[in-house]
Amino acid sequence: MSEHVLEITGLRAGVAGREILKGVDLTVRSGEVHAIMGPNGSGKSTLSHVIMGHPGYEVLGGTVTLDGLDILALTASERAQAGLFLAMQYPTEVPGVAVVDVLEAAFVAAGRNPTEVPERLRAEATRIGFDDRFLHRAMNVDLSGGEKKRNETLQLGVLQPAIAILDEIDSGLDLDALRACARRIEAATEETGLGVVAITHYNRLLHELRADYVHVLANGVIQRRGGPELALELETTGYSEFTAARGEASPS
Ligand code: ADP
Ligand code: MG
């Protein structure tokens, strides 16, 4: 198992001239789980999009490196090949392309043997209780919100990235599916040394996917850091402490 480190320093980014991230620092090492919590509109999804090179977000300052490699200089697919994985808050529907096709292409791009993919997929599907018949259906088309999230977990299990950024992987999942996905990801932190950035509103994700560190992102900066106890505290206090008098955006 190799050791990896994702290092974000002073990251500033925005859209259309508006600064959304105002200097974010975060270091994630192999095997660690970092929860990012915070009010709606605080920049959590922007952070995940910028790390993965989503077009439309402008980097205004700071650095993001993976094992010392400047990932901001890479295309989105090069970032994936370097070992980053993003589970988006709203997974994209890709008509006509099945998950098996996407993963085989990713294996080829990374110089891995694509003939391993179907077997790995079946094994992963069994592991998280995902019906085999979804494997050959078009990516995310006509899948429920929860099925899309399980689909993301499935891909993560097959790809075995170094670092995964999970944007609200728990939204829309019923409790059983949530437990299955969270358990699978937690297992990856032990089996393959996966490092995780888990963006979530709810401590319940962290019952199975145990956070080593909890960070509160509000108004584009990390305002507080702590251990798992911080997630528990936020569950009772909410985010009013971080939104008061700051004019935080309404739900987005
Ligand atoms: P969160 O995920 O924490 O709810 P986001 O990162 O989605 O927050 O959004 C942070 C702020 O940036 C919000 O005010 C949102 O409206 C704005 N924003 C994010 N992405 C875009 C975009 N592509 N175009 C315009 N505004 C955006
Ligand atoms: Mg979001």
Side-chain angles (χ1 to χ4, degrees):
M1 202 188 295
S2 46
E3 287 292 318
H4 299 283
V5 56
L6 175 73
E7 201 155 18
I8 302 169
T9 56
L11 184 63
R12 294 169 45 237
V15 170
R18 180 177 154 221
E19 191 169 340
I20 299 169
L21 299 181
K22 302 170 183 170
V24 172
D25 299 305
L26 184 67
T27 300
V28 182
R29 295 173 195 283
S30 290
E32 293 178 351
V33 176
H34 293 253
I36 310 269
M37 306 182 83
N40 281 323
S42 63
K44 302 182 300 297
S45 292
T46 298
L47 177 64
S48 66
H49 288 142
V50 170
I51 297 170
M52 286 315 295
H54 193 290
Y57 293 85
E58 194 187 348
V59 175
L60 303 167
T63 59
V64 181
T65 60
L66 178 62
D67 303 333
L69 180 71
D70 173 14
I71 73 134
L72 294 178
L74 305 180
T75 64
S77 64
E78 288 168 340
R79 294 178 199 204
Q81 281 170 47
L84 290 176
F85 176 92
L86 170 66
M88 285 184 290
Q89 185 171 0
Y90 303 106
T92 322
E93 298 190 358
V94 191
V97 180
V99 63
V100 61
D101 304 327
V102 172
L103 291 173
E104 284 175 354
F107 266 54
V108 170
R112 296 163 73 182
N113 180 4
T115 61
E116 291 174 13
V117 168
E119 185 52 44
R120 280 175 182 249
L121 254 178
R122 271 190 297 275
E124 286 296 330
T126 306
R127 214 167 154 178
I128 59 165
F130 204 48
D131 199 319
D132 272 19
R133 71 197 149 90
F134 290 113
L135 305 184
H136 298 282
R137 290 228 320 240
M139 273 283 273
N140 293 326
V141 176
D142 298 326
L143 297 190
S144 72
E147 287 164 349
K148 288 180 184 176
K149 299 293 177 174
R150 269 196 280 191
N151 202 13
E152 300 280 308
T153 306
L154 196 67
Q155 293 173 57
L156 187 151
V158 173
L159 286 169
Q160 302 188 337
I163 305 282
I165 322 282
L166 311 173
D167 194 355
E168 299 198 21
I169 191 130
D170 46 352
S171 70
L173 282 180
D174 60 53
L175 277 178
D176 287 340
L178 174 66
R179 201 171 291 132
C181 289
R183 262 190 202 151
R184 178 63 191 93
I185 299 161
E186 172 74 24
T189 67
E190 284 149 25
E191 291 170 16
T192 56
L194 176 70
V196 178
V197 178
I199 296 168
T200 182
H201 283 290
Y202 304 106
N203 187 50
R204 62 178 193 196
L205 175 73
L206 307 175
H207 291 169
E208 303 283 347
L209 178 62
R210 291 184 297 277
D212 303 292
Y213 305 93
V214 175
H215 313 263
V216 181
L217 182 69
N219 197 26
V221 291
I222 291 175
Q223 313 245 2
R224 251 184 92 186
R225 297 183 198 260
E229 73 289 344
L230 178 53
L232 276 173
E233 180 192 320
L234 291 167
E235 195 159 61
T236 48
T237 60
Y239 298 111
S240 51
E241 173 192 347
F242 304 102
T243 52
R246 283 204 189 87
E248 202 72 66
S250 50
S252 59

